[in-house]
Amino acid sequence: MRIYVSVDMEGIAGVALREQLQRGQSAYEEARYLLTQEVNAVVDALASFGVKDIVVKDAHGGGYNFIADSLHPAAVYVMGSTPLDKRFPGLERGFDGAFLMGYHAMASTFGAVRDHTMSSAQYRGVKLNGQPIGEIGLDSLLFGLNGVPVIMVSGDDKACQEAEELLPGVTIYATKTGLSRHAALMKAPQRVRSELRGAVQKALARVGQAAPFCITSPYEVVIQFNSSDWADARSYDGVDSERLDAVTARYRSDDLVKVLTRAI
Ligand SMILES: [Zn+2]
């Protein structure tokens, strides 16, 4: 069995502060330790349930957050930044399912830890074909383009709720309850690492039954920016890309990766 794991940092147990989320900040080293330990718990569970081929992508920031020398030897790891059209390198060789670990809710979600969509600074919200969408949805679509269903999502309770609404039957695991953008009611990381084992087992039981997440073309992406500065900084051709108002732009294409690359 082959499983692809994409890992973000905001939804990892023990992580809630902005000082934890960026290299060079005061609490970053602690956060990457917590991240690496939680990844290892999932890889260990996957290996113990017989998954022989495990790829783990570091999907936070520049993609270089794991403590390399502490990583579980049963997986291989994608580290460093990759462009959106190659966001999950190696995916094309075929996988039975994908996990989104440590994810966060979409921009403008109330009471969610570090809610954002791709960039906290730039975007207030992103809609795809009229529906609000965040990174859980966007990454599920990218996996879906390759025929791979997302079968497990972990993160705060708001991220889990978003995943359940989008991906019926997905296994969710809440590492914490969001209280505000930078506060949460936390489960102890050690408890999370042991409880994740049961979630992994439950998720793997749906391999072969879960359907890949797909939205059919044509695609229309509407971006709401946090300020007109961001909208001014772009150029628009008036056909495939249009400025709708001071803080809103619309992008269209029949190709999902193309429209996302241009819009986000
Ligand atoms: Zn992140």
Side-chain angles (χ1 to χ4, degrees):
M1 200 188 297
R2 291 175 170 173
I3 298 291
Y4 208 110
V5 183
S6 177
V7 187
D8 210 346
M9 203 166 189
E10 293 83 350
I12 296 295
V15 175
L17 301 181
R18 78 179 83 237
E19 294 82 0
Q20 291 179 300
L21 290 167
Q22 200 175 344
R23 185 175 291 275
Q25 290 183 337
S26 58
Y28 171 74
E29 293 300 323
E30 177 204 24
R32 68 194 294 234
Y33 169 82
L34 294 167
L35 173 78
T36 304
Q37 295 302 312
E38 201 168 305
V39 166
N40 285 350
V42 166
V43 171
D44 193 62
L46 284 167
S48 75
F49 293 125
V51 181
K52 296 264 187 286
D53 190 347
I54 308 166
V55 177
V56 182
K57 161 84 193 285
D58 184 337
H60 177 73
Y64 222 92
N65 305 283
F66 300 152
I67 300 170
D69 199 34
S70 299
L71 286 167
H72 197 296
V76 293
Y77 299 88
V78 179
M79 298 167 75
S81 65
T82 53
L84 194 127
D85 63 343
K86 294 185 182 65
R87 183 155 164 81
F88 301 114
L91 192 59
E92 60 284 349
R93 66 190 175 86
F95 282 78
D96 298 293
F99 288 10
L100 307 181
M101 262 190 81
Y103 270 56
H104 51 82
M106 68 175 77
S108 304
T109 303
F110 186 44
V113 173
R114 202 66 187 182
D115 60 296
H116 68 280
T117 300
M118 306 312 276
S119 160
S120 287
Q122 281 196 54
Y123 307 127
R124 177 162 301 176
V126 175
K127 283 185 178 175
L128 175 62
N129 291 5
Q131 294 298 314
I133 194 161
E135 291 176 35
I136 291 169
L138 293 170
D139 283 346
S140 296
L141 280 171
L142 294 175
F143 279 114
L145 280 182
N146 286 274
V148 180
V150 169
I151 54 174
M152 181 168 136
V153 176
S154 69
D156 77 359
D157 59 320
K158 313 304 185 304
C160 289
Q161 192 181 332
E162 186 178 315
E164 267 191 316
E165 286 167 9
L166 201 68
L167 310 166
V170 70
T171 297
I172 50 162
Y173 180 83
T175 57
K176 53 193 145 188
T177 301
L179 300 174
S180 70
R181 186 165 170 77
H182 291 291
L185 183 65
M186 295 281 186
K187 289 179 186 166
Q190 289 190 23
R191 172 182 162 191
V192 166
R193 287 174 216 145
S194 72
E195 288 181 354
L196 274 167
R197 191 179 170 78
V200 169
Q201 185 173 26
K202 190 177 162 197
L204 291 178
R206 282 187 68 244
V207 164
Q209 299 162 35
F213 181 52
C214 295
I215 294 177
T216 50
S217 66
Y219 301 104
E220 179 189 88
V221 174
V222 173
I223 304 282
Q224 193 178 29
F225 297 95
N226 273 326
S227 114
S228 51
D229 275 339
W230 295 108
D232 286 350
R234 298 184 174 206
S235 57
Y236 306 90
D237 66 12
V239 183
D240 296 326
S241 56
E242 287 174 275
R243 178 85 174 258
L244 299 183
D245 64 31
V247 292
T248 313
R250 178 169 62 199
Y251 295 82
R252 289 176 167 142
S253 176
D254 288 333
D255 183 312
L256 181 66
V257 171
K258 203 178 276 179
V259 75
L260 292 177
T261 304
R262 279 211 310 259
I264 302 170

